[in-house]
Amino acid sequence: MADEKKNGGNGASSGSSKNGGKVGVVERVTSAVKDDIQSLKTDIPTKAKEQITGLKDPTKTQVYTSIFRHKHDDTPRNRALGVLSNVFLHLHPAKINRDAVRYSYTWGMGGITFYLFLVLTWTGVLLMFYYHPSKVQAFRDVLYLEHDVPFGKILRNMHRWAAHLMVIGVWLHMFRVFLTGSYKKPREFNWNIGVLLLVFTLLLSFTGYLLPDDQLGFWAVTVGTNMARATPLLGHEGPFGPQLGMTPYNDVRFGLLGGSIVDANALLRSYIWHCIGIPIVASVLMIVHFWRVRKDGGISGPAPVMLTEEADKPRRGPKAAGE
Ligand code: HEM
């Protein structure tokens, strides 16, 4: 036993105590197995009991408590924990100003615009399975979608209508932000992110216009990109453009169309901007926009209203003395 102690209790290294060591190991293994059996005898009924009560009340099961780690009773602390300990809910603040989220205040327009963007992304990806951005196939694909693909017509129209609604939604959202004065300090930066989002929403709409390769889209993009001729410095008809060497073959319009007329290259460029470039930039801007709403103290909320009895109370804080 002394040897065993010296060897840290593993009982297997010294030559003279080889036999004694083996006995020690056997003894310990046997007693461990006995302990295990004993604990199984007591644990199994307890565990079984737990499982049965768990079936009656699932919130007490190990599975449930491993996912939701807070109690469910309705206290402010537990409500906050419920939000904070869930990765999806955590995107929202744990506490918000009740007045700021009233529909009559926000019209829900920012949220609706974002929701429409998600619908557009989803339906857009599905449309990509049927559409080829080439002069030969684009219009045919659209006809195929409209008339032959199961649910193709509703898919295309969901995309189209969501696009129109998103443009209307973003304007209404901007209008409400303006009306509630929410562009003022400390939200000036977010207003500017919003302006970029407005531009990118309009660009998404514009680049999508050409993709069916029909007469409407062709002429809309012809007119739209013709305006780019008059861009200051970068357009061949714009102020200082010719002086800087701009021609119809190297100016900003040429860059947008991939040529001097609306043709196959313009279709391909519109497609890539529409499906990859602009959605990525818009998504990044939206992430910044939402993060900023949080950092600026949540949605602005109506001006605080004070009850008469509150106004009469003596006030504390640095302002109180001067008032
Ligand atoms: C894709 C476009 C946009 C999306 C998805 C979006 C989304 C949102 C959401 C969800 C909110 C929270 C409050 C609410 O729903 O009203 C918000 C707030 C805000 N948005 Fe937008 N927005 C967009 C475009 C714009 C534009 C064009 C502007 C202005 C030029 C803007 C400026 C603001 C400002 C300043 C706030 C803070 C408002 C407050 O605290 O009351 N956003 N946005």
Side-chain angles (χ1 to χ4, degrees):
M1 269 339 248
D3 259 342
E4 234 178 80
K5 260 187 193 165
K6 230 195 256 168
N7 295 325
N10 63 14
S13 57
S14 121
S16 61
S17 67
K18 250 185 190 168
N19 272 342
K22 269 184 195 159
V23 172
V25 170
V26 173
E27 267 172 4
R28 263 180 288 129
V29 169
T30 339
S31 80
V33 170
K34 266 185 194 160
D35 283 352
D36 281 353
I37 291 169
Q38 191 55 38
S39 67
L40 277 178
K41 272 186 193 161
T42 46
D43 281 1
I44 287 175
T46 335
K47 283 252 161 88
K49 234 184 206 173
E50 266 173 26
Q51 293 300 321
I52 291 163
T53 21
L55 287 177
K56 284 184 198 154
D57 182 2
T59 58
K60 295 227 160 55
T61 54
Q62 196 180 347
V63 175
Y64 184 92
T65 49
S66 71
I67 302 170
F68 303 103
R69 291 164 185 215
H70 55 90
K71 286 195 190 132
H72 226 72
D73 44 324
D74 194 9
T75 59
R77 186 171 183 274
N78 276 338
R79 271 188 269 158
L81 279 174
V83 174
L84 292 172
S85 58
N86 178 307
V87 69
F88 299 107
L89 295 180
H90 187 225
L91 297 176
H92 291 281
K95 279 187 177 181
I96 46 165
N97 176 357
R98 185 200 300 252
D99 294 321
V101 286
R102 271 210 309 253
Y103 276 112
S104 56
Y105 183 75
T106 64
W107 302 342
M109 272 306 147
I112 289 174
T113 309
F114 178 59
Y115 166 74
L116 288 166
F117 180 73
L118 295 183
V119 171
L120 284 162
T121 310
W122 177 243
T123 52
V125 169
L126 292 180
L127 285 173
M128 285 172 83
F129 283 100
Y130 295 96
Y131 177 85
H132 302 77
S134 77
K135 280 306 243 189
V136 182
Q137 272 186 276
F139 188 58
R140 281 190 201 172
D141 288 342
V142 171
L143 293 181
Y144 180 55
L145 261 163
E146 285 275 331
H147 301 291
D148 292 305
V149 176
F151 303 108
K153 195 173 190 143
I154 193 169
L155 179 64
R156 181 170 179 232
N157 278 299
M158 275 174 77
H159 197 73
R160 241 186 134 81
W161 279 97
H164 294 321
L165 291 175
M166 185 174 169
V167 171
I168 296 171
V170 75
W171 280 114
L172 287 177
H173 171 59
M174 187 166 108
F175 186 48
R176 112 60 202 157
V177 171
F178 176 72
L179 289 184
T180 54
S182 310
Y183 52 84
K184 293 180 197 164
K185 206 176 166 190
R187 297 182 171 80
E188 315 92 315
F189 178 72
N190 216 12
W191 171 269
N192 285 297
I193 298 284
V195 172
L196 290 178
L197 277 171
L198 173 74
V199 172
F200 280 97
T201 306
L202 298 180
L203 283 177
L204 270 174
S205 190
F206 185 67
T207 48
Y209 220 168
L210 184 63
L211 300 186
D213 201 24
D214 53 4
Q215 285 292 311
L216 181 68
F218 175 82
W219 291 109
V221 172
T222 304
V223 172
T225 50
N226 270 345
M227 288 190 228
R229 293 165 186 250
T231 312
L233 310 176
L234 299 176
H236 71 275
E237 286 173 4
F240 306 109
Q243 287 82 353
L244 289 172
M246 291 298 155
T247 71
Y249 306 101
N250 66 0
D251 69 347
V252 62
R253 179 172 174 275
F254 189 92
L256 288 174
L257 295 178
S260 58
I261 54 165
V262 179
D263 207 8
N265 286 352
L267 188 59
L268 186 62
R269 285 191 184 200
S270 284
Y271 180 71
I272 296 168
W273 279 118
H274 186 76
C275 301
I276 303 172
I278 304 173
I280 290 178
V281 179
S283 307
V284 172
L285 287 173
M286 277 182 217
I287 293 169
V288 177
H289 195 60
F290 300 154
W291 171 77
R292 221 39 241 200
V293 171
R294 290 281 292 273
K295 291 292 154 190
D296 293 340
I299 301 169
S300 54
V305 179
M306 211 182 262
L307 302 172
T308 343
E309 59 265 30
E310 282 172 346
D312 293 342
K313 265 189 205 162
R315 297 184 68 184
R316 282 185 298 163
K319 267 192 158 185
E323 275 173 0

